[in-house]
Amino acid sequence: MALTLWQSAPAFLFQGGDTDQLLQWMLVGAIILSILAMGLQFFKNVFYAITAPTYSLKSMGQDDNFFFSLLLVVVGGLFMSLYALMQKSFLLASFEQFARDQLNGALVGYANQTYKPVVFEFGLNRMTDVFDLVMSSILGIVLLWPVLWLLFGYVYWILSRAFGNQLSLKVMLSTLAYYYLLFGVVVGYFAIHSVGAYLVAQGGAPPIGGLEIAGVILGLVALAYSVISISQGSDITVAQAVVVFVIWGVVLGGIIAAVFVYQLAPIYEGFLDGLRSQSYA
């Protein structure tokens, strides 16, 4: 009997308690366990990565093993997921306002005023369902973060070879791991908040407040830190690292723009056109 109750306890927690709060505590526990697995070396290396990155990142990248670097990145991803859960209500409210404004603009010329609220609610429900699906994948950030780390690290390593980089891919990855850790821990909260602020602004200028100003400042610091990480991980100059960063930024930006223009935008416009053409007569 006791064993049966113990086995069913997690189910009662998820059904009767606050699931989001429980997930937050699970993420905090995973963060603590990951840090404990890395030991005192974690605190020592993070101290040097913050106070003297131009002198320490390369040497730490050469000394760290792959598992230690992976755990650094995972901790950054765990913090990103934690921050997203903490701001879930803000993101949902921001998206609802964004969706309502978009639908009001799309249906401004809808002829049948009697059925306009029905079409509006249908469109709002469809958009909300899609966003809820995205929000349900918050924990996927923990997996996405290492994937981005491996992808970007490999691309930076390949591009830096043109400037004479003789270091191994492992050094580049280990050096970048500190960037992904610090971005997730320090900048992550503000990065998640900026998504909600952007939705509220409907793609225009976001509202300017304390969080937004701090986010911009930290974003600029993170940008500079990423260039330093590339420079240290490939043993090239900062100027050469800037070139590597810009080349990949242009390529990545082009890919994202192409996907948006040729894939996402037509789907979204087709959805709005479908709402405009609906008739209940």
Side-chain angles (χ1 to χ4, degrees):
M1 180 66 177
L3 179 61
T4 303
L5 289 174
W6 178 82
Q7 290 174 334
S8 61
F12 285 119
L13 284 174
F14 277 102
Q15 292 175 2
D18 188 335
T19 303
D20 291 339
Q21 187 176 28
L22 178 60
L23 288 175
Q24 289 181 37
W25 282 113
M26 291 172 64
L27 288 171
V28 170
I31 290 171
I32 294 174
L33 289 176
S34 298
I35 293 176
L36 289 176
M38 288 182 281
L40 293 177
Q41 184 180 353
F42 168 82
F43 298 100
K44 182 186 71 173
N45 286 16
V46 168
F47 173 78
Y48 288 124
I50 295 174
T51 58
T54 55
Y55 299 99
S56 62
L57 288 182
K58 178 183 174 182
S59 60
M60 291 191 302
Q62 292 173 323
D63 294 338
D64 295 346
N65 59 55
F66 181 82
F67 180 73
F68 184 87
S69 299
L70 178 61
L71 278 180
L72 289 175
V73 178
V74 168
V75 169
L78 288 169
F79 268 98
M80 290 289 289
S81 293
L82 177 62
Y83 294 148
L85 277 174
M86 291 170 61
Q87 300 182 79
K88 184 177 179 179
S89 297
F90 169 67
L91 293 174
L92 291 173
S94 298
F95 182 80
E96 182 177 352
Q97 180 178 335
F98 167 80
R100 289 183 176 276
D101 291 338
Q102 289 285 301
L103 291 171
N104 281 327
L107 299 176
V108 67
Y110 193 77
N112 194 327
Q113 295 300 308
T114 302
Y115 293 106
K116 183 177 179 180
V118 178
V119 177
F120 182 92
E121 286 300 320
F122 172 79
L124 181 62
N125 290 335
R126 288 289 301 275
M127 294 179 71
T128 302
D129 287 343
V130 173
F131 192 72
D132 285 344
L133 181 62
V134 174
M135 292 301 297
S136 67
S137 304
I138 285 178
L139 295 182
I141 299 175
V142 180
L143 300 177
L144 177 64
W145 216 234
V147 171
L148 293 177
W149 168 60
L150 292 171
L151 173 62
F152 279 51
Y154 181 75
V155 171
Y156 289 146
W157 180 71
I158 289 293
L159 292 176
S160 65
R161 304 284 285 182
F163 295 101
N165 175 22
Q166 298 299 316
L167 298 179
S168 66
L169 174 61
K170 178 262 177 191
V171 177
M172 173 64 78
L173 291 174
S174 294
T175 302
L176 281 177
Y178 291 97
Y179 166 76
Y180 278 86
L181 167 71
L182 294 176
F183 185 96
V185 175
V186 180
V187 188
Y189 184 90
F190 303 95
I192 298 295
H193 180 83
S194 68
V195 175
Y198 179 82
L199 291 173
V200 171
Q202 303 177 59
I208 302 300
L211 284 176
E212 288 74 24
I213 294 174
V216 170
I217 294 173
L218 289 174
L220 293 175
V221 173
L223 183 65
Y225 198 94
S226 66
V227 172
I228 294 174
S229 300
I230 296 169
S231 172
Q232 289 286 297
S234 55
D235 198 22
I236 59 178
T237 67
V238 172
Q240 292 170 334
V242 170
V243 174
V244 169
F245 180 85
V246 170
I247 290 175
W248 175 232
V250 170
V251 173
L252 182 62
I255 294 173
I256 294 175
V259 171
F260 177 80
V261 172
Y262 296 108
Q263 296 292 329
L264 299 181
I267 294 174
Y268 183 60
E269 286 301 321
F271 165 71
L272 295 180
D273 289 339
L275 293 178
R276 299 186 190 102
S277 63
Q278 281 198 33
S279 175
Y280 291 87

